[in-house]
Each structure stands twice: as C-alpha cells, then as structure tokens.
C-alpha cells in the first residue's frame, strides 16, 4: 500500500513482515504544462534532472546524476537522463536505484534533488512526483507530489537516512534555484 506523503513526513523502510528493505528506487516523473498563447495551447519540453547526494556526518562524499551515473562504491545508480519528461505517462521518467545493503556504513543520508538544467521554472511543469519503490518486487511504498507552479528551478525532494539499524525516508519538498546539484547545496544542508 502506498503512503501519500506530506512535506516533512517520515516513514520507516521496514517491510510489513518486519524485515528490512534491501533495494529501493526513487522515481521522478513529470510532464510539461500546456501554455496558452496567441495561437492556442502549446507545450515546451522540460528537462528535469534527478540527483542523489551521499552524505557522511553532514559532509557530501559522492553524488549520482546524469554525468556520474554510479556512485564510487556502486551502491547508488542512476538509470539515465530523460530530456523531456512525460514519456511514462505517469511512470518514472528518471530513476535512481539504491542498494541499501551495499551503502557503506559511514554514509548516513542520501538526499534526492530535482533541478531544471535548462533553467525552466516549475510553472512549466505539471504532474511532478517522486516515489519510493521496493525494487525487489516493484511495490510502490511512498509517493510525494512535487508542488508545481513556482518561480523556482529546483526542489529538494526527499532523503533516505539511517534510523537505528534500518532506514527511513523523509519528504522534504523545499523549493530552490539552481541548474545542478552543486547549486542546491546551501538549500540541502539545513535538512541534514
């Protein structure tokens, strides 16, 4: 059963039977919003990019994004860049896979971001979401709808972080501005 998350809400990444999840996928989906113009309605392609920043004790140690598809330790993998969105018609346009069992013990948080590399704002985006899926069986665990309509070009989506012996996901949903994950670091740091 999917949990529809709200900003700031956290969920445990334990299975219903009490076992721990071993691999998850953070999916990102979006569509270009139709714009009314002088000659009718049209859409312009929007290139959003998903990134995952791996932290140890509030220090960024690695990042996975369209130019670095696999973390140095191999535990986090980006499935590839989608330049237009909406291809999945409600499915994932970009995805980042996390093998929770392989994440090194010193990595305590993985923060997921989305940014418009081309600088388009979220006013040009509709039906944007991030979702967490149990990669072993394809079951959607949580979904967070990304608020659209703002003058910002990025959003800090969510984080997966250690909680005792297991993991938790927290929806962040903080708007930001920047073309790359590096531009977003000042906005990410308060959420660690």
């Amino acid at each position: 059963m999917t949990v529809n998350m709200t900003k700031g809400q956290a969920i445990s990444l334990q299975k219903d039977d009490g076992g721990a999840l071993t691999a998850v996928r953070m999916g990102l989906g979006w569509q270009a919003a139709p714009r009314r113009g002088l000659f009718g309605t049209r859409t312009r392609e929007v290139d959003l990019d998903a990134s995952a920043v791996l932290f140890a004790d509030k220090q960024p140690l690695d990042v996975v994004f369209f130019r670095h598809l696999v973390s140095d330790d191999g535990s986090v993998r980006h499935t590839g860049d989608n330049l237009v969105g909406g291809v999945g018609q409600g499915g994932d346009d970009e995805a980042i896979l996390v093998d929770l069992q392989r994440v090194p013990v010193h990595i305590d948080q993985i923060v997921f971001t989305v940014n418009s590399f081309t600088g388009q704002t979220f006013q040009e985006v509709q039906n944007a979401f991030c979702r967490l899926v149990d990669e072993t069986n394809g079951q959607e665990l949580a979904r967070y709808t990304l608020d659209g309509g703002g003058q910002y070009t990025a959003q800090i989506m969510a984080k997966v972080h250690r909680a005792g012996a297991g993991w938790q996901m927290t929806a962040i949903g903080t708007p930001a501005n920047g073309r790359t994950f590096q531009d977003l670091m000042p906005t990410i740091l308060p959420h660690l």
Side-chain angles (χ1 to χ4, degrees), residues 2 5 51 64 66-67 76 90 110 112 152 154 160 179 192:
T2 299
M5 298 185 73
S51 302
V64 173
F66 68 92
R67 288 189 179 147
V76 181
I110 302 170
F112 298 94
Y152 49 89
V160 172
R179 294 180 57 235
L192 300 178

Side-chain angles (χ1 to χ4, degrees), residues 24-31 46-52 64-69 77-97 112-117 129-133 135 146 157:
V24 294
R25 173 175 18 113
M26 178 64 74
L28 168 66
W30 75 93
Q31 294 174 327
V46 177
D47 177 14
L48 296 183
D49 294 316
S51 302
V64 173
F65 70 117
F66 68 92
R67 288 189 179 147
H68 185 243
L69 294 176
R77 185 171 51 91
H78 196 298
T79 61
D81 195 13
N82 179 320
L83 302 177
V84 297
V87 174
Q89 300 299 319
D92 299 338
D93 293 310
E94 290 194 12
I96 297 175
L97 308 172
F112 298 94
T113 66
V114 58
N115 55 273
S116 172
F117 187 74
F129 65 87
C130 68
R131 67 187 192 126
L132 193 72
V133 176
E135 191 60 15
L146 301 173
M157 294 189 297

Side-chain angles (χ1 to χ4, degrees), residues 114-164:
V114 58
N115 55 273
S116 172
F117 187 74
T118 52
Q120 293 158 295
T121 69
F122 271 67
Q123 286 182 318
E124 298 179 58
V125 174
Q126 68 181 12
N127 302 324
F129 65 87
C130 68
R131 67 187 192 126
L132 193 72
V133 176
D134 181 343
E135 191 60 15
T136 61
N137 63 16
Q139 178 184 2
E140 184 176 286
L141 305 168
R143 178 178 286 258
Y144 179 65
T145 301
L146 301 173
D147 293 331
Q151 283 290 336
Y152 49 89
T153 60
Q155 198 165 116
I156 314 307
M157 294 189 297
K159 69 179 179 176
V160 172
H161 51 100
R162 293 189 189 272

